[in-house]
Amino acid sequence: MSDIKKVVLAYSGGLDTSVIAKWLQQTYGCEVVTFTADIGQGEEVEPARAKAEAMGIKEIYIEDLREEFVRDYVFPMFRANTIYEGEYLLGTSIARPLIAKRLVEIAEATGADAVSHGATGKGNDQVRFELGAYALTPGIKVIAPWREWDLNSRERLMAFAEEHDIPVDFKKAGKKSPYSMDANLLHISYEGGILEDPWAEAEEDMWRWTVSPEAAPNEAEYIDLTYVQGDIVAINGQSMSPAEVLAELNRLGGKHGVGRLDIVENRYVGMKSRGCYETPGGTIMLRAHRAIESITLDRESAHLKDSLMPKYAELIYNGYWWSPERLAMQKLIDATQECVNGDVRVKLYKGNVIVVGRRSGDSLFDASIATFDDDAGAYDQKDAEGFIKLNALRLRIAARAGRKMK
Amino acid sequence: MSDIKKVVLAYSGGLDTSVIAKWLQQTYGCEVVTFTADIGQGEEVEPARAKAEAMGIKEIYIEDLREEFVRDYVFPMFRANTIYEGEYLLGTSIARPLIAKRLVEIAEATGADAVSHGATGKGNDQVRFELGAYALTPGIKVIAPWREWDLNSRERLMAFAEEHDIPVDFKKAGKKSPYSMDANLLHISYEGGILEDPWAEAEEDMWRWTVSPEAAPNEAEYIDLTYVQGDIVAINGQSMSPAEVLAELNRLGGKHGVGRLDIVENRYVGMKSRGCYETPGGTIMLRAHRAIESITLDRESAHLKDSLMPKYAELIYNGYWWSPERLAMQKLIDATQECVNGDVRVKLYKGNVIVVGRRSGDSLFDASIATFDDDAGAYDQKDAEGFIKLNALRLRIAARAGRKMK
Amino acid sequence: MSDIKKVVLAYSGGLDTSVIAKWLQQTYGCEVVTFTADIGQGEEVEPARAKAEAMGIKEIYIEDLREEFVRDYVFPMFRANTIYEGEYLLGTSIARPLIAKRLVEIAEATGADAVSHGATGKGNDQVRFELGAYALTPGIKVIAPWREWDLNSRERLMAFAEEHDIPVDFKKAGKKSPYSMDANLLHISYEGGILEDPWAEAEEDMWRWTVSPEAAPNEAEYIDLTYVQGDIVAINGQSMSPAEVLAELNRLGGKHGVGRLDIVENRYVGMKSRGCYETPGGTIMLRAHRAIESITLDRESAHLKDSLMPKYAELIYNGYWWSPERLAMQKLIDATQECVNGDVRVKLYKGNVIVVGRRSGDSLFDASIATFDDDAGAYDQKDAEGFIKLNALRLRIAARAGRKMK
Amino acid sequence: MSDIKKVVLAYSGGLDTSVIAKWLQQTYGCEVVTFTADIGQGEEVEPARAKAEAMGIKEIYIEDLREEFVRDYVFPMFRANTIYEGEYLLGTSIARPLIAKRLVEIAEATGADAVSHGATGKGNDQVRFELGAYALTPGIKVIAPWREWDLNSRERLMAFAEEHDIPVDFKKAGKKSPYSMDANLLHISYEGGILEDPWAEAEEDMWRWTVSPEAAPNEAEYIDLTYVQGDIVAINGQSMSPAEVLAELNRLGGKHGVGRLDIVENRYVGMKSRGCYETPGGTIMLRAHRAIESITLDRESAHLKDSLMPKYAELIYNGYWWSPERLAMQKLIDATQECVNGDVRVKLYKGNVIVVGRRSGDSLFDASIATFDDDAGAYDQKDAEGFIKLNALRLRIAARAGRKMK
């Protein structure tokens, strides 16, 4: 273990990663660089500086990555209407590649030979961090303390902290949430505790970002979303940066009880796990993006995207954001978004996201053709006969040859 | 046109198909057999008999197909979590193959050489009827009056009716809905009228099967759904037939404002069209089926199904239910459902369908492995290192060879 | 028919399209512009000028499109290792989009309002020409004489020609091939005649571009192909343009009996048809391209391409080259080719194309890892255990839950 | 290591697995059961008995699995026209699931708690053996000596053998092939040695099952293959069992220089590796199966199969034969084969497999429709216009909206 000289740690400032910092110093006898990022988790990141300094950390990186996170990760993913297993909006998955990238960039900048993180050996996050790190810096070493050490209970962890004068906020530790949580500008997640019984309903006081539908306002609220090339650039006519868009949609969605999700998902490491998620802004974005595509995207492009989406979602879930196949798929996805411009009007009401209108200067909706009224010859109904006849030809030949279709 | 001797008409008993019946008699000089089916559209079918008799129809088929419809069409489709273009539950599409099948079966039984329907030349339904008919009876002739005649306005149609003593319910005709509608046990749809402007919000009084979320009860309602091999067999512990299940879920969903949808979709004939749909029971079924699968279905089977679903949905939407490729896909889908057994608890509240619990004797959810607590060796976290290392190998080799991943 | 003023005709100079030119003048009373392209079919195009002039044609376009054809159509298609139905290299399909594009461009340049072609109403080519024309110039009119006229037998065609003083080469017409043929730089095809019996072996004297394997040299020939970004840029170290590459590979393949194919394929219009093809250069290119990709392309990129290829091939076969979905797929495909650089050594011998070596400065083949000898720690075999264990986890859980896998 | 009581070893009778048997006895202090199968590798299996006995093995299983291998593994795989990465016929991959199955069945029969194999930690075979074992018997233990021991050079292995009186055939060992080989009724493979340089051509004397095309007979040979439900049941009219079919096709192909392959493939464990393969019978079967499908299989079923094939091939290559997703896909594949009946005539000549004819009582090839001659109204060419018009509609709407297609 003596060949590690310096390690960059993804450091939240909390108890677990503080213990890791100390454990790394002690176990590897190496220098530790901390990296703390604001990706919209809703907690101050600056306090991490003092905590790191108290442990003798010399190189401390604290960064606000919210704009980069939404612009380069969240928005590209939503261009594909990405959902994992029909339900999950990939809130945790999409934040990991950015952290992995910064970890190895900081390793390069500081001359570190390893990176470290606080993800356990059972979850997906270890995979996402490490695949990203290896893909970007193939020679990097990765230290995953949860797979190595024997501090695998709350008690041992606390004991280690106490023993090594780690500044634990005992008041906070005392009332620790029974859930394992993760948050960023896209979502907050809950696992563990009573959720480990998939028949047990989540408790109301678990949820943090949204009110319940029951507690949401009795008045619906309409919002207009403006799209340019598949991304939202304005809300109710007001231009916003990507992070501002998502923050505002989180506020609106949260207020109206939008975006709670309770699922059992299949982890890449092979087990099923129960997770609850709040994704208020993302839930609005998914519906609205489909709506703007519905009038601007060609049918076959849309179907092509739909056919690739499960694969694309799986790639992101499994940690392959930084991979040639994800990059190639992104080229296809982005190529379809050039004309995905226009406005979507959405109604928010007690948990519902209801699309009520969509319009675009790039619309492919042609009322003069689709109309039930006289179309003045825009469409010749007789064409349908030949269309059906030739599409039926192979079926008729098969039926005549005695094939049974029922 | 004289070579048609007898034609079986899909007859609703309404004005349009009454005019068609008369027009067929007149234009083709042929005998007309009417076929009227109860597939849960919510209107009496028996009155069609008197109307048909009044036009001199000798062979009149009136059938209750609700159980067959749900058992053999709706349920198999829901086993695949089928959605078209991310939103549409295919309520109209899935009813057409059954009608097509009965049309050609009745043609065979009555010695008819043709079938006829009242679908227009712009829509998908003509394709679905005719592909089905040709696939099952390759020599059948199809007459699609809307593509042939010149009665292509309301006024001409009414004039023809009056001229030929067709028993129009003028009171009803007078207050005719501004929408083109279609209903069956799975859904009711609306097209045309102000919906032809995709920016215009649908009017509240258009909706017929569901209350608005605003008007729904202030108290949530929990229901338990029991699955056997991917199909619901009981609600709240009470065994029900397929049609009973769907009718009861429609009642529950409708009461709680569940299942309204407003979309622009891509028709098979090449145009985009705005449609509004109410699918209360289907909306519940989709969420609940995903939930029961989430604990009983193997990950890769689930992902395989997800990757095929867009294609399967497209087949059904486009009218290829009666095709060898749909049958082959159904084999795959059904093979995955053998162990999709158990219960799902769902909460209905003002438009929301919230899954709160799922349990199964065939569960693959293994809490002893997934737990955040001590797992007593059920899972060796060290395995994750090798798993990640080998999954990363190709990426590291590529990166070392100078490939850029960002 | 009087509203057509000027029509651009895809004119080969042969009997059929000469008759069409005359028929168009006569039937539509319109001006005819002829367009004759050299796409490597192996016949002089210049003689078409005199023939067109003899019919009073004023605007005559004769163009050498060989380089454009190979560079912008053939090469991009081969980047995807494209094969239709496991066998067919799409030699006819890939030429049509270029002709369609030039037809509508010339229509624009000459102020023509229509285009016309000599493809029949049973085949794929009409679809390819017309979809391309409509996609590029949505208001264009298309005249397909074979679907309109009554000259649907050789005799009537000859009679019409004679009657209208069309300069038929009677000597040539007399010994007309029993096959319907199409040729361009990528291939030559044969249909009809005895091939309409799929059990009948094609006659040896049908084949025109290749010797039979039996008649090929008894000495094998080795060639080296150099790739840059997925395209061949040199043969045996000699730089060549795209059309030169394909011409030289045709010469080499033809000499060694490479590239004959005899299949029954499924046409887009719904029928099966027997076709024989000679694609000497393309057959070499397909094998060699896979070989250069085998050492330069990442596994998952390669598998992604393979999974999309059947769809991409179908698009091209069906005539959707000029479509948003093909363009989006091309982005993905081309993105994977950036590092597909290097050399492939191929041995040609009596019909065989045998890859014997491949090398690249961008190789991902890492002998130090793959070796059966000591790898000096490049790969830790113990990693495989965790890799297998976690990949097996879901299977073990399922088996423990009683799932039957056999 | 003391908790293993009895282990079933996949035992070839050769040096490596003999050393493993001894090493297992010594290292684990456990009983060893040997399992030796004839799957057509072309070597006697009975001699393994004496060798095992000499090492004190009490339970010795020697089985002829050739029929089961071809019937239940090779044939089902060929129904899908399965090829990995466009080239590889999966000869090694498809044999492993059968071995895995028998290993765990024998473990159950003998009360063993573990299985063991001689595959290295770098290859795919370890994965295939172990995934299969775990999927069928989730509680089984697997011992992979090559990942555990330190005998990782030829010299150490020989020393161990000598030291433990393992009956080495020194004469044979002395002239050991420089290649790592694997053989079964479907193929023989070569890896290692000079093949580790992908630019080096394989030496002629490496190949064992086929003559070179150069050395093959100067006379072509025609053979007729009869299919029932996608499987070959007779050659030249003579009924044969599955294993007989494959053995005879190997003989014929080998004689005519058919089925050599030299590729670089992507292993599941993440590296690229060079492999040479001889698959004479399989190469014939692949071409012939496509040919019989070409006249009996519906277009969309065929395309559906083609779109799934890469995934199916990947599953088999990666070791997931015993998985719910493979089983579900097999249902789809097998459902398409019901009418894949008839005869294919193939010409073998110096490495070439040339399909020259195909016929079937279940043919969907309808010459009366496809003909270039008068079709007596079987097909109405005018239908094509509507077919094209509606397929073009979305493209025209897009073009009119200003979308650029080129």
Side-chain angles (χ1 to χ4, degrees), chain A residues 397, chain C residues 195-198 263-265 271-275, chain D residues 294-296 362-371:
Chain A
I397 292 171
Chain C
L195 300 179
E196 292 188 0
D197 171 8
I263 56 169
V264 173
E265 73 199 55
M271 69 190 69
K272 288 181 183 292
S273 99
R274 167 87 169 281
Chain D
S294 78
I295 56 166
T296 58
D362 286 296
S363 177
L364 300 176
F365 182 93
D366 188 330
S368 72
I369 286 180
T371 184

Side-chain angles (χ1 to χ4, degrees), chain A residues 286-287 290-291 355, chain B residues 83-90 261 263:
Chain A
L286 179 70
R287 291 310 278 283
R290 281 228 172 252
V355 172
Chain B
I83 331 175
Y84 182 67
E85 299 188 338
E87 303 273 8
Y88 174 39
L89 293 174
L90 295 167
L261 181 67
I263 56 169

Side-chain angles (χ1 to χ4, degrees), chain C residues 84-87 101 105 120-122 126-127 130-131 134-136 138 140 146-147 180 191-192 196 198-201 213-214 220 222 224 261-264 266-274 287 290 294-295 297 299 303 306-307 310 314 320 322-325 327 343 345 347 349-352 355-359 364-365 367 369-373 375 379 381-382 384-385 387-389 391-392 394-396 399-400 404-406, chain D residues 84-87 101 105 120-122 126-127 130-131 134-136 138 140 146-147 180 191-192 196 198-201 213-214 220 222 224 261-264 266-274 287 290 294-295 297 299 303 306-307 310 314 320 322-325 327 343-345 347 349-352 355-359 364-365 367 369-373 375 379 381-382 384-385 387-389 391-392 394-396 399-400 404-406:
Chain C
Y84 182 68
E85 298 187 338
E87 302 274 10
K101 183 184 77 114
E105 285 172 348
T120 81
K122 285 189 174 179
Q126 57 175 341
V127 190
E130 299 179 28
L131 289 181
Y134 288 139
L136 297 173
I140 199 76
W146 285 98
R147 297 200 305 254
S180 170
E191 295 182 304
E196 292 188 0
W199 184 245
E201 183 172 359
E214 285 89 340
Y222 285 76
D224 286 2
L261 182 67
D262 173 345
I263 56 169
V264 173
N266 290 292
R267 287 194 190 150
Y268 190 27
V269 294
M271 69 190 69
K272 288 181 183 292
S273 99
R274 167 87 169 281
R287 288 313 276 283
R290 279 227 173 252
S294 77
I295 56 166
L297 198 57
R299 180 185 71 202
H303 291 198
D306 281 353
S307 74
E314 192 181 85
Y320 293 96
W322 301 117
S323 72
E325 65 272 24
L327 291 171
D343 301 309
R345 179 163 291 167
K347 176 184 169 185
Y349 175 70
K350 286 189 178 290
N352 295 276
V355 172
V356 299
R358 59 302 266 168
R359 68 180 172 193
L364 300 177
F365 182 92
I369 286 180
T371 185
F372 279 84
D373 300 330
D375 65 8
Y379 177 96
Q381 299 209 18
K382 289 190 179 48
E385 186 182 333
F387 178 76
I388 297 170
K389 280 274 187 65
N391 279 315
R394 66 178 176 98
L395 301 171
R396 296 174 84 177
R400 271 202 295 260
K404 294 284 165 259
M405 301 283 173
K406 52 174 182 176
Chain D
Y84 182 69
E85 300 188 338
E87 303 273 10
K101 182 182 78 112
E105 285 172 348
T120 81
K122 285 188 174 180
Q126 57 174 344
V127 190
E130 299 179 27
L131 289 180
Y134 288 139
L136 297 173
I140 200 76
W146 285 98
R147 298 200 305 254
S180 170
E191 295 182 305
E196 293 188 0
W199 184 246
E201 183 172 0
E214 285 90 341
Y222 286 76
D224 286 2
L261 182 66
D262 174 345
I263 57 169
V264 173
N266 290 293
R267 288 196 191 147
Y268 189 27
V269 293
M271 70 190 68
K272 289 181 182 291
S273 98
R274 169 88 169 279
R287 288 314 274 285
R290 280 226 172 253
S294 78
I295 56 166
L297 197 57
R299 181 185 70 201
H303 291 198
D306 281 353
S307 74
E314 193 182 84
Y320 293 96
W322 300 119
S323 71
E325 65 272 23
L327 291 170
D343 302 310
V344 175
R345 180 164 290 169
K347 176 183 170 187
Y349 175 70
K350 285 188 179 288
N352 295 276
V355 173
V356 300
R358 59 301 266 168
R359 68 180 171 192
L364 300 176
F365 182 93
I369 286 180
T371 184
F372 279 83
D373 300 330
D375 65 7
Y379 176 97
Q381 299 208 19
K382 287 188 180 49
E385 186 182 333
F387 178 75
I388 296 170
K389 280 276 186 66
N391 279 316
R394 68 179 174 97
L395 300 171
R396 296 173 85 176
R400 272 202 295 260
K404 294 283 165 263
M405 301 283 173
K406 53 176 182 178

Side-chain angles (χ1 to χ4, degrees), chain A residues 227-297:
Chain A
Y227 279 89
V228 171
Q229 298 195 355
D231 298 334
I232 300 175
V233 299
I235 300 178
N236 291 329
Q238 188 171 344
S239 289
M240 294 184 188
S241 73
E244 286 168 353
V245 162
L246 188 45
E248 175 64 2
L249 291 179
N250 279 339
R251 190 188 65 77
L252 289 162
K255 171 182 165 191
H256 288 284
V258 165
R260 292 183 176 185
L261 182 66
D262 174 345
I263 57 170
V264 173
E265 72 198 55
N266 290 293
R267 286 195 191 147
Y268 190 26
V269 294
M271 71 190 69
K272 289 181 181 291
S273 97
R274 168 88 170 279
C276 289
Y277 301 99
E278 290 172 280
T279 322
T283 302
I284 299 170
M285 290 194 338
L286 179 70
R287 291 310 278 283
H289 188 261
R290 281 228 172 252
I292 190 65
E293 284 193 340
S294 77
I295 56 167
T296 58
L297 198 57

Side-chain angles (χ1 to χ4, degrees), chain C residues 63-333:
Chain C
E63 301 178 353
D64 181 349
L65 300 179
R66 288 175 296 173
E67 287 297 344
E68 184 179 355
F69 173 51
V70 182
R71 184 188 64 227
D72 295 345
Y73 300 80
V74 174
F75 273 13
M77 180 173 80
F78 273 80
R79 284 175 212 145
N81 304 316
T82 315
I83 330 174
Y84 182 68
E85 298 187 338
E87 302 274 10
Y88 175 39
L89 293 174
L90 295 168
T92 301
S93 323
I94 193 60
R96 300 319 191 190
L98 170 54
I99 304 300
K101 183 184 77 114
R102 286 301 298 142
L103 280 175
V104 296
E105 285 172 348
I106 293 170
E108 192 176 10
T110 59
D113 43 8
V115 296
S116 183
H117 62 76
T120 81
K122 285 189 174 179
N124 297 304
D125 287 332
Q126 57 175 341
V127 190
R128 296 165 188 154
F129 282 133
E130 299 179 28
L131 289 181
Y134 288 139
L136 297 173
T137 305
I140 199 76
K141 292 198 183 80
V142 177
I143 305 173
W146 285 98
R147 297 200 305 254
E148 291 191 22
W149 69 23
D150 57 356
L151 305 180
N152 36 22
S153 75
R154 196 94 235 130
E155 293 66 37
R156 292 200 197 171
L157 212 66
M158 296 289 280
F160 183 97
E162 202 165 359
E163 189 183 334
H164 294 83
D165 289 327
I166 291 171
V168 182
D169 181 347
F170 276 104
K171 216 160 39 193
K172 197 175 174 187
K175 56 163 183 156
K176 190 180 178 300
S177 160
Y179 305 104
S180 170
M181 292 186 289
D182 176 69
N184 59 52
L185 205 42
L186 181 54
H187 92 343
I188 180 167
S189 68
Y190 311 88
E191 295 182 304
I194 67 154
L195 300 179
E196 292 188 0
D197 171 8
W199 184 245
E201 183 172 359
E203 295 165 315
E204 179 53 37
D205 65 2
M206 175 190 78
W207 307 98
R208 302 198 168 193
W209 280 20
T210 60
V211 300
S212 71
E214 285 89 340
N218 289 321
E219 289 293 306
E221 182 166 359
Y222 285 76
I223 56 174
D224 286 2
L225 304 173
T226 303
Y227 279 89
V228 170
Q229 298 196 354
D231 299 334
I232 299 175
V233 298
I235 299 178
N236 291 328
Q238 188 172 342
S239 290
M240 294 185 188
S241 73
E244 288 168 353
V245 162
L246 188 45
E248 175 63 5
L249 290 179
N250 280 339
R251 190 189 65 78
L252 288 162
K255 171 182 165 193
H256 288 285
V258 165
R260 292 184 176 187
L261 182 67
D262 173 345
I263 56 169
V264 173
E265 73 199 55
N266 290 292
R267 287 194 190 150
Y268 190 27
V269 294
M271 69 190 69
K272 288 181 183 292
S273 99
R274 167 87 169 281
C276 288
Y277 302 98
E278 290 171 281
T279 322
T283 302
I284 299 171
M285 290 195 336
L286 179 70
R287 288 313 276 283
H289 188 263
R290 279 227 173 252
I292 190 64
E293 283 193 340
S294 77
I295 56 166
T296 58
L297 198 57
D298 165 73
R299 180 185 71 202
E300 294 304 310
S301 302
H303 291 198
L304 176 60
K305 283 183 65 200
D306 281 353
S307 74
L308 289 173
M309 187 276 284
K311 169 87 179 170
Y312 179 80
E314 192 181 85
L315 286 181
I316 295 174
Y317 187 86
N318 288 353
Y320 293 96
W321 181 265
W322 301 117
S323 72
E325 65 272 24
R326 205 278 307 172
L327 291 171
M329 293 182 85
Q330 198 70 52
K331 294 274 187 196
L332 183 154
I333 292 161

